[in-house]
Amino acid sequence: MIITVTMNPAIDKTVDIDELVHGGLNRIKRVEYDAGGKGINVSKTIRELGGSSIATGFLGGNNGKTIANVLKDKEIETDFIWVEGETRTNTKVFEENGALTELNEPGPVITEEKIAELMSRLEGYAGEDTLFVLSGSIPAGVDKDIYGKIIRLVHAKGSAVLLDADGELFRRALEAGPDIIKPNRVELEEYAGMDYRASEEELLKIAGKFADQGIGTVAVSMGKSGAMFLLGEYKAKCPALSVKAHSTVGAGDAMVAALAYAWNEKLGEEETIKMCMAVSAGAVTTIGTKPPSRELVDALKEQVVIEKL
């Protein structure tokens, strides 16, 4: 069973324009709305792959109702905690030249009572053969050690955890020992205190330290440079697939979904890697934060080249 936890969901509003004019009039060519937030994106992708998950976290207001209805229509099971205030709207502005400007709202303030309610809900799902996906930002009122607290809570009942976070959220959660992590290049550079673009050798060294600390699966997404994978003793890298990209937004969430799906289906190392590369490549071809179809994923898997390290 897979449980995705989205602390700070959003309506993702994606707009296409020719060129962003700062301080002037901008005419929008196309608008797309999606139920979003990293964990919700993961649940949507898992559903498209043919798997299932339970999406939980915090929802509020009319935006929250919209997200709940969208997930229901997609036949994704949900178990959200309802809070006061309005779930945020995040606006993503795409220019013709590929530039992306993101305007993310803060979201509602979460009370201690609601946090305790969520923790109790998660503990109820915890058990062997359950994977918790912790991904994305947290809203006001939530402590930055929340992911670490969840990891310790569900580990005590035999569950596994997949972590996708950055900054202090990432650092503090690492202390609790997640089972799977998916940092990207920038997140690893920030974690290591690098003020320059790290080489693949440096990224592999950092990832190797995580593996030495007992994290069984480390997937490092590197954008156009592909990705690296440390799956126990199995180490490999893959060049990025050649696809017609619309947007890189959601590619990381897609890889997280592939990792979760592979864990739940008990896929082998090579099949896991092929799934990760194909799903993330497929995600960049879609408009907004929509997941790729299973048909596209299966076609892209045939193009994956695995180079063992």
Side-chain angles (χ1 to χ4, degrees), residues 136-197:
S137 66
I138 57 174
V142 179
D143 186 81
K144 289 189 179 295
D145 190 37
I146 187 65
Y147 286 160
K149 291 177 180 176
I150 294 174
I151 292 170
R152 296 180 188 98
L153 178 72
V154 302
H155 268 179
K157 290 200 166 186
S159 296
V161 177
L162 193 170
L163 173 70
D164 180 26
D166 62 5
E168 188 176 352
L169 271 175
F170 180 64
R171 288 192 298 271
R172 297 185 68 173
L174 283 178
E175 298 171 3
D179 304 273
I180 307 169
I181 60 174
K182 194 225 65 69
N184 61 32
R185 175 193 289 274
V186 174
E187 289 163 354
L188 279 192
E189 291 168 349
E190 179 185 4
Y191 173 80
M194 297 175 172
D195 58 358
Y196 59 91
R197 184 178 175 84

Side-chain angles (χ1 to χ4, degrees), residues 32-98:
E32 292 283 338
Y33 292 91
D34 295 296
K38 295 179 75 64
I40 288 173
N41 291 340
V42 170
S43 279
K44 291 191 300 183
T45 304
I46 290 172
R47 179 74 179 106
E48 195 66 38
L49 292 175
S52 62
S53 66
I54 300 173
T56 186
F58 301 113
L59 286 180
N62 290 327
N63 280 352
K65 292 176 183 177
T66 298
I67 290 174
N69 288 334
V70 167
L71 296 181
K72 181 180 179 180
D73 289 344
K74 294 180 180 296
E75 299 181 339
I76 295 172
E77 186 175 350
T78 63
D79 193 10
F80 284 94
I81 305 297
W82 288 89
V83 301
E84 296 294 326
E86 187 72 41
T87 292
R88 61 191 180 144
T89 296
N90 289 344
T91 304
K92 306 173 190 303
V93 183
F94 283 100
E95 299 178 58
E96 190 69 31
N97 63 6

Side-chain angles (χ1 to χ4, degrees), residues 12-301:
D12 284 334
K13 180 181 178 181
T14 304
V15 301
D16 289 355
I17 63 174
D18 290 324
E19 182 180 1
L20 183 63
V21 179
H22 180 73
L25 175 65
N26 291 274
R27 297 193 182 278
I28 296 172
K29 297 190 298 182
R30 177 171 56 191
V31 181
E32 292 283 338
Y33 292 91
D34 295 296
K38 295 179 75 64
I40 288 173
N41 291 340
V42 170
S43 279
K44 291 191 300 183
T45 304
I46 290 172
R47 179 74 179 106
E48 195 66 38
L49 292 175
S52 62
S53 66
I54 300 173
T56 186
F58 301 113
L59 286 180
N62 290 327
N63 280 352
K65 292 176 183 177
T66 298
I67 290 174
N69 288 334
V70 167
L71 296 181
K72 181 180 179 180
D73 289 344
K74 294 180 180 296
E75 299 181 339
I76 295 172
E77 186 175 350
T78 63
D79 193 10
F80 284 94
I81 305 297
W82 288 89
V83 301
E84 296 294 326
E86 187 72 41
T87 292
R88 61 191 180 144
T89 296
N90 289 344
T91 304
K92 306 173 190 303
V93 183
F94 283 100
E95 299 178 58
E96 190 69 31
N97 63 6
L100 167 65
T101 301
E102 297 191 69
L103 305 171
N104 288 356
E105 297 178 8
V109 177
I110 310 300
T111 65
E112 289 291 337
E113 290 77 14
K114 293 297 182 180
I115 295 170
E117 188 177 345
L118 177 64
M119 296 295 281
S120 177
R121 194 81 53 94
L122 297 180
E123 186 176 19
Y125 284 117
E128 294 182 3
D129 297 324
T130 300
L131 175 70
F132 288 83
V133 178
L134 310 179
S135 56
S137 66
I138 57 174
V142 179
D143 186 81
K144 289 189 179 295
D145 190 37
I146 187 65
Y147 286 160
K149 291 177 180 176
I150 294 174
I151 292 170
R152 296 180 188 98
L153 178 72
V154 302
H155 268 179
K157 290 200 166 186
S159 296
V161 177
L162 193 170
L163 173 70
D164 180 26
D166 62 5
E168 188 176 352
L169 271 175
F170 180 64
R171 288 192 298 271
R172 297 185 68 173
L174 283 178
E175 298 171 3
D179 304 273
I180 307 169
I181 60 174
K182 194 225 65 69
N184 61 32
R185 175 193 289 274
V186 174
E187 289 163 354
L188 279 192
E189 291 168 349
E190 179 185 4
Y191 173 80
M194 297 175 172
D195 58 358
Y196 59 91
R197 184 178 175 84
S199 67
E200 289 188 11
E201 290 75 16
E202 289 173 311
L203 294 176
L204 181 61
K205 185 176 180 180
I206 299 169
K209 290 181 179 179
F210 294 141
D212 292 341
Q213 294 169 10
I215 299 175
T217 296
V218 182
V220 181
S221 54
M222 303 183 295
K224 293 181 179 180
S225 299
M228 292 189 294
F229 300 89
L230 284 73
L231 312 178
E233 297 298 319
Y234 190 99
K235 301 178 182 179
K237 70 175 181 178
C238 301
L241 301 187
S242 179
V243 294
K244 184 178 181 180
H246 180 270
S247 158
T248 59
V249 174
D253 299 339
M255 185 173 287
V256 171
L259 286 166
Y261 177 85
W263 181 94
N264 199 55
E265 298 296 317
K266 298 178 172 57
L267 301 184
E269 290 94 344
E270 290 192 1
E271 187 64 19
T272 294
I273 291 172
K274 288 180 180 179
M275 183 66 71
C276 286
M277 295 303 297
V279 177
S280 58
V284 307
T285 69
T286 66
I287 297 172
T289 54
K290 295 177 176 60
S293 68
R294 180 63 195 246
E295 182 181 15
L296 175 59
V297 169
D298 287 340
L300 289 173
K301 280 168 61 179

